C-alpha cells in the first residue's frame, strides 16, 4: 500500500504515470500535479482508458514551496517523484523536507539563468535529508539512471575494477521533422551547446562543444553512427563511486541535419539564455525557440526506429582484462503503442517508475541524498527486464 505524488505532466511524467498504473500492487494511489492541470487531465484520461486506474490531478506551481507543501499535506504521499524541470529540484526538495516525504528525480538542478550541470546544489541537502531520516534518490531516468545502475551491475558481477567507461546514447529514430528535440527543447539545447567534458586520470578535461566525435557500430542491426562527446551529469557521481576508474566519457549520436540546424540557430543567437528586449519585454531567445519548436509529446506518433543506450566498460577481473557492453534497445513505435509516447520519454519514465518502486517496496533505502550506483543494482536490473526495458550484456 503506497501513495505516490508525481509532479510534471510532460513526456516523461506521462510515461511514468502510465507505468505506475500497470503496477497496482505497489502504487495503490497515483496523484499527478503540474503547472497546467489540463495536461494532467489528458494523461489521467489516457491512463483510465488503458489501465482502468483513476489518477486524481492537481495544478501546482512547483517553484512555490508553500504551494507544494499544501498539496503534499492534502495528499500525504509516501514519495514525491519530480518529473518537472531541473529548475524545480531544490524547491521540491525543500517541500519534501518540510513535510517529511521521500524524494526522487531524473535530472540534476540547474539554475535558470546559468546552463550548469552540477550536483553541488543537491549534495548540499545531504545532511538535512539524513537528519530528517528521509531519502532523496537523484537521477532515476535512463542517463542518468539506468547507465549508473549498469555501471554498478558491472562492478558487482563482472569486474574487480573498471578502468574505462564510455556511456553511448544512440537515438536511431526518425520523426521526419526538420528540427525537433526529443525531450524539453530548452533543457536539451542548453545541455548540447555547452562545452564537452570528460574525466581522465583524476581530472576533468574540457573540449569545445561537439568538437570530438567517433563512429560506433551499434548492435542488432542499428549499424554505425557518428557519436559526439558531451558532458553528462552522471559522470560526476560515477567517477566518485566506481572503483579504479581512470577515464569516463559520454557520447551521443546526432544526425547531420540536426547539427546543421543547431549551428545556424546558435550562430544567430537563438539558443542564448541571455535575456533580450522584445516588444517592450525581456525574453530569453531559447525560451522563444522552445515555443516555436514541435512539442516533444507531439513526436510520439511520428517517430519510427529504435534507441540504443548502454555502457562500454573496460577493466580487470581476477587479473584478466575484459570489456563488457551492457545496453538496452527500445523501439519508438512499441513505446507509442504501449503508453502513447516515443522512446526518449519511455526510457526515462520507466526507470523513474522503477526507482519509485525500489523506494516504496524498501528494496532501496537510506537516509540522505543518493545516486543510483550506490544502491544494489540487482532488483533494479530485474525490474528493467520485467517492465519494458530489457537489457543485454556481451563481452567484446
Ligand atoms: P516536459 O517539458 O515535456 O515536461 C515538463 C513538465 O513540467 C511540464 O508538464 C511542465 O508544465 C511542468 N513544469 C514546468 N515547470 C513547472 C512548475 N514550476 N511547476 C509545476 N510544473 C512545472 O519535459 P520532459 O517530460 O521531457 O522532461 C521531464 C524531466 O525529465 C526534465 O527534468 C528532464 O531534464 C528529465 N529527463 C531526464 C532524462 C534522463 O534520462 N535522466 C531524459 C529526458 C528527460 P507545463 O506543461 O505547464 O509547461
Amino acid at each position: 500500500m503506497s501513495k505516490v505524488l508525481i509532479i510534471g505532466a510532460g513526456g516523461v511524467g506521462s510515461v511514468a504515470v502510465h507505468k505506475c498504473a500497470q503496477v497496482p500492487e505497489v502504487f495503490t494511489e497515483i496523484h499527478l500535479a503540474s503547472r497546467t492541470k489540463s495536461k494532467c487531465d489528458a494523461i489521467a484520461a489516457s491512463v483510465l482508458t488503458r489501465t482502468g486506474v483513476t489518477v486524481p490531478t492537481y495544478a501546482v506551481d512547483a517553484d512555490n514551496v508553500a504551494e507544494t507543501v499544501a498539496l503534499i499535506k492534502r495528499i500525504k504521499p509516501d514519495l514525491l517523484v519530480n518529473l518537472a524541470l531541473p529548475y524545480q529540484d531544490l524547491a521540491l526538495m525543500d517541500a519534501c523536507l518540510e513535510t517529511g516525504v521521500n524524494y526522487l528525480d531524473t535530472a540534476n538542478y540547474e539554475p535558470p539563468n546559468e546552463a550548469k550541470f552540477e550536483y553541488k546544489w543537491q549534495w548540499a541537502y545531504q545532511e538535512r535529508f539524513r537528519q530528517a531520516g528521509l531519502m532523496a534518490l537523484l537521477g532515476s531516468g535512463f542517463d542518468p539512471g539506468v547507465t549508473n545502475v549498469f555501471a554498478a551491475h558491472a562492478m558487482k558481477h563482472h569486474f574487480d575494477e573498471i578502468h574505462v567507461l564510455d556511456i553511448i546514447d544512440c537515438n536511431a529514430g526518425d520523426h521526419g521533422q526538420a528540427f525537433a528535440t526529443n525531450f524539453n527543447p530548452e533543457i536539451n539545447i542548453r545541455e548540447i551547446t555547452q562545452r564537452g567534458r570528460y574525466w581522465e586520470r583524476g581530472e576533468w578535461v574540457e573540449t569545445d562543444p561537439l568538437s570530438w566525435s567517433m563512429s560506433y557500430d551499434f548492435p542488432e542491426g542499428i549499424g554505425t553512427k557518428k557519436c559526439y562527446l558531451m558532458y553528462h551529469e552522471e559522470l560526476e557521481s560515477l567517477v566518485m563511486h566506481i572503483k579504479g576508474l581512470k577515464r569516463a566519457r559520454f557520447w551521443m549520436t546526432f544526425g547531420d541535419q540536426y547539427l546543421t540546424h543547431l549551428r545556424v540557430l546558435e550562430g544567430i543567437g537563438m539558443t542564448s539564455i541571455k535575456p533580450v528586449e522584445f516588444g517592450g519585454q525581456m525574453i530569453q531567445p531559447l525560451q522563444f525557440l522552445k515555443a516555436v519548436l514541435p512539442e516533444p509529446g507531439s513526436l510520439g506518433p511520428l517517430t519510427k526506429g529504435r534507441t540504443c543506450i548502454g555502457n562500454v566498460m573496460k577493466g580487470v577481473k581476477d587479473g584478466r582484462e575484459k570489456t563488457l557492453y551492457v545496453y538496452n534497445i527500445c523501439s519508438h513505435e512499441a513505446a507509442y503503442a504501449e503508453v502513447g509516447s516515443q522512446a526518449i520519454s519511455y526510457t526515462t519514465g520507466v526507470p523513474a517508475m522503477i526507482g519509485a518502486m525500489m523506494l516504496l517496496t524498501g528494496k532501496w533505502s537510506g537516509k540522505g541524498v543518493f545516486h543510483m550506483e550506490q544502491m544494489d543494482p540487482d532488483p533494479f536490473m530485474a525490474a528493467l527486464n520485467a517492465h519494458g526495458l530489457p537489457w543485454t550484456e556481451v563481452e567484446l
Side-chain angles (χ1 to χ4, degrees), residues 32-83:
L32 175 62
S34 192
R35 184 164 51 192
T36 314
K37 187 173 176 294
S38 58
K39 293 193 185 174
C40 302
D41 293 338
I43 295 170
S46 166
V47 170
L48 184 63
T49 310
R50 287 172 198 261
T51 64
V53 171
T54 299
V55 175
T57 60
Y58 315 82
V60 73
D61 176 2
D63 289 320
N64 183 327
V65 178
E67 240 185 72
T68 312
V69 164
L71 182 67
I72 294 176
K73 285 187 174 159
R74 192 170 145 201
I75 297 170
K76 300 188 177 57
D78 300 294
L79 172 69
L80 183 145
V81 174
N82 168 16
L83 301 176

Side-chain angles (χ1 to χ4, degrees), residues 119-177:
Y119 278 111
K120 69 174 180 210
W121 292 281
Q122 290 182 277
W123 285 342
Y125 281 69
Q126 178 66 264
E127 211 33 44
R128 274 175 283 166
F129 269 78
R130 202 186 59 75
Q131 278 179 8
L134 294 173
M135 178 167 184
L137 182 63
L138 306 185
S140 189
F142 205 105
D143 43 345
V146 176
T147 51
N148 303 57
V149 177
F150 282 171
H153 163 82
M155 203 60 232
K156 181 171 176 182
H157 296 290
H158 297 284
F159 291 100
D160 297 322
E161 283 190 357
I162 298 176
H163 294 156
V164 179
L165 165 68
D166 283 298
I167 299 171
I168 313 179
D169 179 331
C170 166
N171 180 7
D174 183 14
H175 46 55
Q177 306 290 298

Side-chain angles (χ1 to χ4, degrees), residues 15 39 47 73 88 93 109 132 229 231 249 265 304:
V15 173
K39 293 193 185 174
V47 170
K73 285 187 174 159
Q88 278 80 53
M93 288 175 88
Y109 173 72
L229 186 135
Y231 178 66
R249 302 179 296 193
L265 290 167
K304 316 270 176 258

Side-chain angles (χ1 to χ4, degrees), residues 248-290:
R249 302 179 296 193
F250 182 95
W251 307 84
M252 194 177 273
T253 59
F254 297 106
D256 288 344
Q257 178 163 327
Y258 180 94
L259 290 177
T260 304
H261 277 79
L262 187 68
R263 281 186 188 122
V264 172
L265 290 167
E266 227 183 330
I268 59 173
M270 281 307 298
T271 60
S272 168
I273 60 173
K274 243 172 66 201
V276 294
E277 197 185 319
F278 180 77
Q281 56 171 318
M282 299 304 282
I283 62 161
Q284 230 188 45
L286 181 56
Q287 273 176 358
F288 176 75
L289 177 63
K290 174 182 185 272

